[in-house]
Amino acid sequence: MLTWYNYLVTSSILLLLAGRLAAQTWACETGQVTFRSEAPLELISASSNELKGVIDAQTRTFAFSVMIRSFQGFNSPLQQEHFNENYLESNQYPKATFSGKIIEDIDFTQPGTYTLRTKGILTIHGVAQERIIRAVVTVSGGVMRVNAPFTVALIDHQIAIPKIVRQKIAEVISVTVQADMRARR
């Protein structure tokens, strides 16, 4: 039988544990994804501020996604149209995703800067590829800042580039993901 004192102590411990477990999940609603294609005849750069993501620090799992049509900043509206209709086919494949596991065992409750590796499935243009992507994560003041530069070979995701524009579109695209994640309560 629980006495009033035992009930109060048990409830307090459960509330503390619930708060600690909730703080193990980090989320972002407005991260940024930028890509850059440096080809001999043209530089193409665009970004999206609509990256969504979650990291479960306790299980070391994560999931991120970005809508392809949210990319802005192309050299021209026609270039953006070709990106969406001819290359990424965003009506058929509306988003890119990356989900998987953080390889290193890091205590994200401790402030600091950590270099880590993530292993997961990167899906672009409907084609899933297993990838290991490095990231630098800085935890400070209740914010987890993620910075992950990597490259994507278009052929790996069956994105075909016609011969006529091969000098204008790089075969390997530079991508940078930046996200400020906040602890979920």
Side-chain angles (χ1 to χ4, degrees), residues 48-184:
S48 169
N49 291 323
E50 296 184 22
L51 175 71
K52 310 270 188 250
V54 65
I55 296 173
D56 185 327
Q58 190 170 24
T59 62
R60 297 191 337 253
T61 56
F62 64 87
F64 288 89
S65 70
V66 65
M67 299 303 289
I68 299 300
R69 284 203 174 272
S70 67
F71 283 91
Q72 303 292 317
F74 294 87
N75 297 332
S76 71
L78 183 60
Q79 193 177 70
Q80 183 174 8
E81 182 181 322
H82 287 175
F83 169 81
N84 280 299
E85 292 180 11
N86 301 341
Y87 305 121
L88 274 287
E89 300 176 276
S90 57
N91 285 338
Q92 187 174 357
Y93 310 108
K95 65 180 152 179
T97 62
F98 184 52
S99 61
K101 194 156 179 94
I102 298 168
I103 296 171
E104 285 75 23
D105 188 12
I106 294 173
D107 182 359
F108 291 113
T109 63
Q110 298 300 311
T113 299
Y114 309 98
T115 300
L116 53 87
R117 295 166 296 152
T118 60
K119 182 176 183 178
I121 303 298
L122 177 65
T123 303
I124 301 171
H125 193 239
V127 178
Q129 291 285 321
E130 186 174 73
R131 294 286 306 269
I132 293 177
I133 295 176
R134 293 184 182 277
V136 174
V137 175
T138 301
V139 179
S140 176
V143 176
M144 177 191 296
R145 179 160 285 150
V146 177
N147 185 23
F150 59 98
T151 60
V152 174
L154 297 181
I155 196 166
D156 288 348
H157 295 278
Q158 298 175 9
I159 300 169
I161 305 302
K163 276 187 175 185
I164 195 162
V165 293
R166 283 201 182 138
Q167 293 292 306
K168 292 184 173 191
I169 300 174
E171 293 177 14
V172 177
I173 307 298
S174 299
V175 178
T176 301
V177 171
Q178 295 177 315
D180 286 345
M181 320 263 316
R182 303 207 186 303
R184 281 191 174 169

